[in-house]
Amino acid sequence: MTERQKFDLVKRIDNVEIRSYHQCVMADVIVDASYMNAANLGFRPLVTYISQNQIAMTAPVLQEQLHANSWVVSFVMPDGMKLEDLPLPKNQSVTLRTVKEHTCAVLGFSGMTTEAKLHQKEAELRTAMTEANLMATGPMRIARFDPPWKPGFMRHNEVIIPISG
């Protein structure tokens, strides 16, 4: 089974989870493209990096909007890896960074991650956060857990928004 990004469940508020994500290292690629194209364009260099360096694939694949038509697509490195443990990427578009422990509100959903569905789920999460008096501290990111050949109705995805701890 594919290793998943590590977190501790802090609490549940209806269908929203409050999670404390562990510190980790991420490999990132910044892509200037539409939402749907960015995932595919960012995925390729990241897969090449982990394949060339015999690093195990983890889940989820993360995508966060930087600004209009600019996205960062990220892989979480396996638990316990540190920045200094990882080889430098040969492809200059791949960068590595340490992400400190942080708290997030998370809403899971099934199906395809179309732009319309993403906006709908983000709105649902933000409404739940407002009702629970949770303050966003950063932008929303989408987490995809399944390969593209898995039927949409069987896919698990999440919208994630960092909140004050």
Side-chain angles (χ1 to χ4, degrees):
M1 182 166 180
T2 303
E3 179 182 323
R4 290 191 173 197
Q5 184 177 14
K6 303 296 184 210
F7 65 86
D8 297 315
L9 178 63
V10 175
K11 67 179 174 179
R12 290 183 200 275
I13 304 170
D14 297 322
N15 58 346
V16 172
E17 291 186 350
I18 307 303
R19 297 178 182 170
S20 177
Y21 283 94
H22 298 189
Q23 180 170 303
C24 66
V25 176
M26 289 198 190
D28 299 324
V29 172
I30 294 174
V31 179
D32 293 322
S34 68
Y35 164 73
M36 292 305 287
N37 289 333
N40 291 332
L41 293 171
F43 189 84
R44 289 183 189 112
L46 293 171
V47 165
T48 300
Y49 172 73
I50 65 170
S51 298
Q52 287 174 340
N53 295 292
Q54 300 177 350
I55 298 169
M57 180 72 184
T58 63
V61 174
L62 299 164
Q63 184 173 338
E64 181 179 309
Q65 188 169 25
L66 297 174
H67 49 80
N69 281 335
S70 185
W71 300 85
V72 60
V73 180
S74 306
F75 280 9
V76 179
M77 296 296 100
D79 187 42
M81 287 193 142
K82 299 196 178 345
L83 201 56
E84 58 270 15
D85 296 338
L86 294 164
L88 292 175
K90 294 175 185 167
N91 182 333
Q92 292 182 352
S93 69
V94 177
T95 59
L96 302 172
R97 67 183 163 113
T98 299
V99 177
K100 302 281 185 205
E101 182 177 336
H102 59 289
T103 304
C104 295
V106 180
L107 176 65
F109 64 97
S110 61
M112 303 299 285
T113 54
T114 64
E115 199 163 0
K117 186 144 191 184
L118 176 62
H119 290 305
Q120 173 196 350
K121 295 302 176 182
E122 178 182 10
E124 286 178 32
L125 179 55
R126 288 192 186 277
T127 298
M129 288 171 56
T130 298
E131 291 171 358
N133 293 317
L134 300 172
M135 179 68 68
T137 59
M140 183 273 306
R141 61 187 182 257
I142 180 77
R144 294 180 186 90
F145 288 83
D146 299 299
W149 56 83
K150 192 170 200 175
F153 70 93
M154 295 176 66
R155 292 185 188 187
H156 175 71
N157 311 291
E158 297 173 342
V159 287
I160 303 170
I161 299 176
I163 59 173
S164 52

